[in-house]
């Protein structure tokens, strides 16, 4: 709900808004993990046989039952979920059946690489989308506008894994200027800044391209509409330079809808990152997610799902906070 203009940033109301969202996230995360355990229990894959491997084909039922008890996979899925939830509340995320490591270790080793990839790609998509959208809106109907709009629609229809395969074929196989995947070159174990930058280039570019069209189109529409609003016309009537009118008035007003887009794009960013990491063999959370899904690895699946859900909730909260800071007419107490 819109209210009178504020004198300054409402830090206390923003803190209360964040606190309310954090409290509301607790039952949401609990319900999501319960759904994960329910789906995993309905899966045709048996995590105990997956854990035992070929030896499970020759093992007796008593042996499998004992192994199931040792892995805390006995009982109905609700009981397994409750054991995992109470342990997770104390910091113990359980043992990954598929990777045979503590879940906390699996997540800790891989999460940082996924966050780095997503953060760089998202920042690049926002910045480049803002620049292209603003430039297209300034000359609406011109050749640049047609190129930006047409290219955005094409990229919207292109799946991230297809863009990834195309990038590997073009830049790694045809031109040989960038590595096809991984974190280090063949035969090297040490990650250097130069090697990291070279191996990050293609995954970041592909993931950024998959998110770029949404920001470019939203900024284009927002700035184009703002250029016809009364405040912008008044600024032009006062004799302000066109660049000042565009950047100081139209862009600021046109970016408000984009702030909402920041939160809504987080799920697509996570999904795209999983596909991009798989294509480029990036050592992020994607490979662990795939193995956990195929092996019905309850603890790892629950932990990964909690992280993804928390990222979506955090993205929505961030979008709301930015919207409040950008528009002094928004009352955070009403959100």
């Amino acid at each position: 709900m819109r209210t009178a203009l504020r004198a300054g940033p409402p830090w206390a109301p923003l803190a209360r808004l964040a606190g309310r969202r954090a409290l509301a996230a607790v039952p949401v995360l609990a319900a999501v993990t319960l759904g994960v355990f329910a789906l995993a229990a309905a899966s045709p894959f048996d995590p105990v046989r997956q854990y035992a491997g070929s030896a499970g084909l020759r093992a007796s039922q008593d042996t499998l039952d004992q192994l199931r008890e040792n892995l805390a996979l006995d009982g109905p899925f609700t009981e397994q979920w409750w054991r995992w939830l109470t342990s997770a509340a104390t910091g113990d995320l359980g043992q990954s059946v598929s990777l045979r490591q503590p879940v906390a270790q699996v997540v800790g080793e891989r999460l940082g690489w996924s966050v780095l990839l997503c953060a760089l790609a998202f920042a690049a998509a926002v910045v480049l989308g803002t620049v292209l959208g603003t430039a297209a809106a300034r000359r609406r109907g011109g050749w640049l506008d047609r190129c930006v709009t047409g290219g955005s629609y094409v990229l919207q229809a292109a799946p991230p894994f297809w863009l990834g395969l195309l990038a590997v074929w073009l830049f790694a196989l045809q031109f040989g200027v960038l590595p096809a995947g991984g974190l280090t070159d063949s035969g090297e174990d040490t990650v250097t800044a130069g090697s990291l930058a070279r191996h990050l280039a293609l995954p970041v570019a592909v993931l950024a391209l998959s998110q770029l069209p949404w920001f470019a189109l939203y900024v284009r529409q927002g700035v184009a509409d703002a250029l016809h609003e009364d405040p912008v016309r008044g600024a032009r009537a006062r004799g302000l330079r066109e660049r000042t009118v565009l950047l100081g008035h139209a862009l600021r007003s046109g970016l408000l809808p984009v702030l909402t887009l920041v939160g809504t794009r987080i799920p697509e960013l996570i999904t795209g990152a999983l596909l991009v990491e798989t294509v480029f063999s990036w050592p992020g959370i994607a490979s662990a997610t795939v193995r956990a899904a195929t092996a019905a690895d309850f603890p790892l699946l629950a932990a990964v799902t909690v992280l993804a859900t928390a990222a979506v909730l955090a993205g929505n909260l961030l979008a709301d906070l930015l919207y409040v800071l950008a528009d002094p007419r928004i009352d955070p107490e009403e959100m």
Side-chain angles (χ1 to χ4, degrees), residues 99-120:
L99 297 175
R100 305 192 180 192
Q101 291 178 301
V103 172
Q105 180 180 347
V106 174
V107 172
E109 291 176 349
R110 293 164 171 79
L111 183 61
W113 298 117
S114 293
V115 171
L116 176 63
L117 172 63
C118 291
L120 291 177

Side-chain angles (χ1 to χ4, degrees), residues 284-306:
I285 206 71
S287 59
T289 303
V290 173
R291 293 190 63 173
T294 57
D297 191 342
F298 296 176
L300 184 54
L301 275 175
V304 171
T305 306
V306 164

Side-chain angles (χ1 to χ4, degrees), residues 4-71:
L5 296 179
R6 297 187 304 264
W11 301 119
L14 286 179
R16 288 193 292 270
L17 173 61
R20 291 196 303 271
R21 295 291 180 85
L23 290 177
V26 174
V28 172
L29 295 176
V32 166
T33 54
L34 177 60
V36 169
F37 274 78
L39 291 175
S43 169
F45 298 103
D46 186 354
V48 174
R49 293 188 181 276
Q50 293 279 350
Y51 182 85
S54 59
L57 300 176
R58 302 184 301 271
S60 64
Q61 187 61 43
D62 291 340
T63 302
L64 292 176
D65 291 341
Q66 183 61 48
L67 182 58
R68 193 180 306 275
E69 182 179 350
N70 294 340
L71 295 174

